[in-house]
Amino acid sequence: MAAAPVWSVDPRTGKQREQVAVEATAQEVDEAVRAAHAARGSLADRTVRAAFLRTAADLLEAAKEQLVEAADAETALGPVRLTGELARTCYQLRAFGGIVDEGAFLDVVINHPDDTAAPPIPDLRRYKVPLGVVAVYSASNFPFAFSVAGGDTASALAAGCPVVVKAHPDHPALSELVAAVLRRAAAQHDIPAGVVGLVHGFEAGVELVRHPLIAAAGFTGSVRGGRALFDAAAARPVPIPFHGELGSLNPVLITEAAAAERGEAIGAGLAGSMTLGVGQFCVKPGLVLAPVGAAGDRLVKSLTDAVSDTDAGVLLDHRMRDNFIAGVAERAELPDVESPVTPGAGGEHTVSPGFLTVPAHKLATEGEHDLLLEECFGPLTIVARYEDESEASAVLSRLPGNLTATVQLSTEEAAGEGRGAEILAELTPLAGRVLVNGWPTGVAVAPAQHHGGPYPATTSTSTSVGGTAIERWLRPVAYQNTPEALLPPELRDDNPLGLPRRYDGHLER
C-alpha cells in the first residue's frame, strides 16, 4: 500500500496547497530514531550545544520572511502574531544557550567522606545526565513556539538530548522548513543532521512513543490524544516519562467588590483575552465566575459590547471549526443557559466569538451541566453567575486541574483586606500559575515561569516554558568512592569547568 500523502492546507479556504511529504512508515520512524540516537555524542560538549542553540536562533531569524509566510498560509494566524511568536522562539533558544553555559541545571552536589556522621557518609558526587532521544509532538496553535523548534525541542537539545519531532498536520510545510533550518545550524557545529528528526502521520506518532530508543516524550494537544500516548508510554516494556499538556479550563473568579469597582474594564479585558488568537490559546479563560446583581450585570454588558465588536476569525483547520460549532450548540441547548452573544459559524470558513451564561448553582453539583466544565477550543467562554461566596467555592471545588487560575480583586482586597488571601489559597491547588488582576493569555519565557498544572492540564509536575523545562530530560546519577581520575570533569574537586555546585553542604558559584 502506498504511503498516504501529507498535504499543506489553507485554513482560510479549506483547499490543499501542496503535497509536502508522505506519512512515515514504521521503518522510517525507526531510521529517524536511530539517527538521533547515534547523534547523542555530538551534544556532549556543553559549549558546542550552547553555540548550536544560538546559531539555530540566528538562522531562524535570517529566514523570518519565508517562515512567517509559510506559517500564515497554513495557520491563518497573521504575520504580526507569527512574527512575534518566532521572536519568542528565538529568544527561548538563546535563553537555553545561556542556561547551558551557566551549568546550574546539572545540579552538581559533592559530599566528601564523613566518618563522624551516623551512619558514615562515603565520598558521593551527583549530577544530572541527559535521558536520551526525546519524542516531541508539535502543537497546532503555536507553529513556532510549541512545534519543531519550540520549547520541548529547545530544552531537550539544551539537556543534551537529540529529538525526533512528530509534525503537526496543520503546518507540515512549515515543519519541514524549520527542521531544515535546525539541521543547517547543526552542520555549522559538526553535529549530524539526525540530531533533529522529523516524521509525519498519526501512526508515525504512535510508533514513535513505542520505539525502544525513545527515552522521553513531550506533547501539547488534546486530552484524548495526549492520554492515549501517555498510556502507551506507560505500557511499554520499559516505561518512559511523558510530559503532556492536555487541556485546561483556566477559571477566573471575579469578586463582587472587583465587579463594583471596575466591572466595565474587567468585561473588556475578559473579551480581549478569550478572543485572542480566535480563542485558540491553551490558557484562554474558559470559565468565569461573576456575581449576580447590578455590578455583575454591568460587567456582562461590557463583555457583551466588546465581544460583539470582535470580528469572526479562522480556526487552525476545518475539523476544529466543526468541533467548535458542534460544541457550542450542545452547550447552548442545556437548560437555563443563555447566549448574550451567540458564538458559532461566522461564515463558510470562519467562526464568530461569543459567550454563554448559566446560574452557578447548576455547576455546583454533578449533573447535565457538567459539559460546561470541559474545555471548548475556540472563542467561547462560560460565565457562571454566583449568588454568594459559598456558591462560587462549590463550583471551584469541582474543577479538574488547570494551567492557570485567575482572581479579579478590588483595590482593598488586593491590599490584604477581605478574602484575597483566602481566595488565593483556594485557587492554588487548581493550577500551576495563579494570577491576580490580570489575564492568563500570554506566557512569558522567564526563569520563574511555570506552564503546567494538575491533571489533565499536564501529566507531570514539570513546566514546558522557562528555564526549568530542561529538567524534564535529565536524570540524576551519583558516583560513590570514585577515584578523581575517573570522575567526569563536572564532579572533580578542582571544578575545571567552573560550575555552580553544592560542595560539602555549601553553595559555591
Side-chain angles (χ1 to χ4, degrees), residues 49-72:
R49 66 180 189 257
F52 167 36
L53 292 168
R54 293 187 177 100
T55 299
D58 293 342
L59 295 185
L60 286 169
E61 285 180 341
K64 176 175 66 176
E65 185 174 341
Q66 179 190 20
L67 295 178
V68 168
E69 181 180 358
D72 183 49

Side-chain angles (χ1 to χ4, degrees), residues 98-456:
I99 288 168
V100 173
D101 280 337
E102 181 194 52
F105 73 97
L106 294 169
D107 196 18
V108 176
V109 182
I110 295 175
N111 285 120
H112 285 102
D114 184 356
D115 293 334
T116 67
I121 297 174
D123 187 285
L124 287 170
R125 296 157 190 258
R126 191 190 78 167
Y127 77 144
K128 292 180 178 177
V129 298
L131 288 174
V133 182
V134 172
V136 172
Y137 294 82
S138 295
S140 61
N141 54 342
F142 284 88
F144 290 120
F146 283 84
S147 188
V148 177
D152 287 347
T153 295
S155 58
L157 293 173
C161 298
V163 300
V164 178
V165 181
K166 190 273 182 187
H168 197 280
D170 280 352
H171 35 82
L174 177 67
S175 297
E176 289 285 347
L177 290 172
V178 173
V181 171
L182 295 183
R183 290 167 184 155
R184 289 201 302 273
Q188 291 191 19
H189 300 282
D190 296 322
I191 297 173
V195 75
V196 177
L198 183 69
V199 296
H200 298 267
F202 175 83
E203 291 299 328
V206 176
E207 290 288 340
L208 191 57
V209 79
R210 291 175 177 166
H211 196 287
L213 293 180
I214 291 293
F219 172 91
T220 302
S222 68
V223 173
R224 182 180 177 183
R227 184 55 194 255
L229 291 171
F230 175 71
D231 290 345
R236 292 167 35 128
V238 179
I240 59 171
F242 184 90
H243 302 284
E245 180 190 321
L246 309 188
S248 184
L249 199 59
N250 305 302
V252 178
L253 173 62
I254 303 167
T255 68
E256 186 170 3
E261 182 179 88
R262 48 191 174 85
E264 291 83 358
I266 292 174
L270 172 59
S273 184
M274 61 158 283
T275 62
L276 186 65
V278 202
Q280 297 175 110
F281 280 45
C282 50
V283 289
K284 177 203 74 177
L287 174 69
V288 181
L289 288 159
V292 299
D297 290 345
R298 288 194 297 274
L299 187 154
V300 171
K301 174 64 166 57
S302 174
L303 176 63
T304 301
D305 293 343
V307 173
S308 298
D309 288 341
T310 303
D311 294 334
V314 178
L315 293 183
L316 291 158
D317 62 42
H318 280 60
R319 176 186 59 82
M320 292 182 187
R321 179 180 179 275
D322 292 343
N323 288 342
F324 175 74
I325 293 170
V328 167
E330 189 176 4
R331 288 164 172 80
E333 291 172 357
L334 292 170
D336 300 304
V337 171
E338 298 181 358
S339 181
V341 182
T342 303
E348 185 179 359
H349 304 290
T350 61
V351 296
S352 58
F355 68 98
L356 306 176
T357 63
V358 65
H361 69 85
K362 295 290 183 180
L363 305 179
T365 57
E366 184 177 354
E368 61 183 335
H369 290 81
D370 284 359
L371 179 63
L372 300 178
L373 301 181
E374 297 179 14
E375 180 184 14
C376 184
F377 192 75
L380 168 73
T381 197
I382 307 298
V383 178
R385 304 293 299 273
Y386 66 88
E387 294 279 355
D388 53 36
E389 296 167 354
S390 63
E391 197 169 85
S393 293
V395 175
L396 291 174
S397 71
R398 299 197 60 233
L399 298 186
N402 292 271
L403 294 170
T404 70
T406 301
V407 59
Q408 297 287 340
L409 301 173
S410 69
T411 302
E412 288 186 355
E413 290 171 327
E417 300 180 25
R419 295 183 62 246
E422 183 180 337
I423 293 172
L424 284 182
E426 192 173 10
L427 295 180
T428 296
L430 297 179
R433 180 163 57 105
V434 178
L435 297 91
V436 177
N437 291 351
W439 299 105
T441 39
V443 183
V445 179
Q449 184 59 271
H450 186 83
H451 188 62
Y455 185 85

Side-chain angles (χ1 to χ4, degrees), residues 107-111 499-508:
D107 196 18
V108 176
V109 182
I110 295 175
N111 285 120
L499 294 170
R501 59 185 186 169
R502 188 166 291 278
Y503 192 84
D504 285 340
H506 301 286
L507 186 63
E508 291 185 352

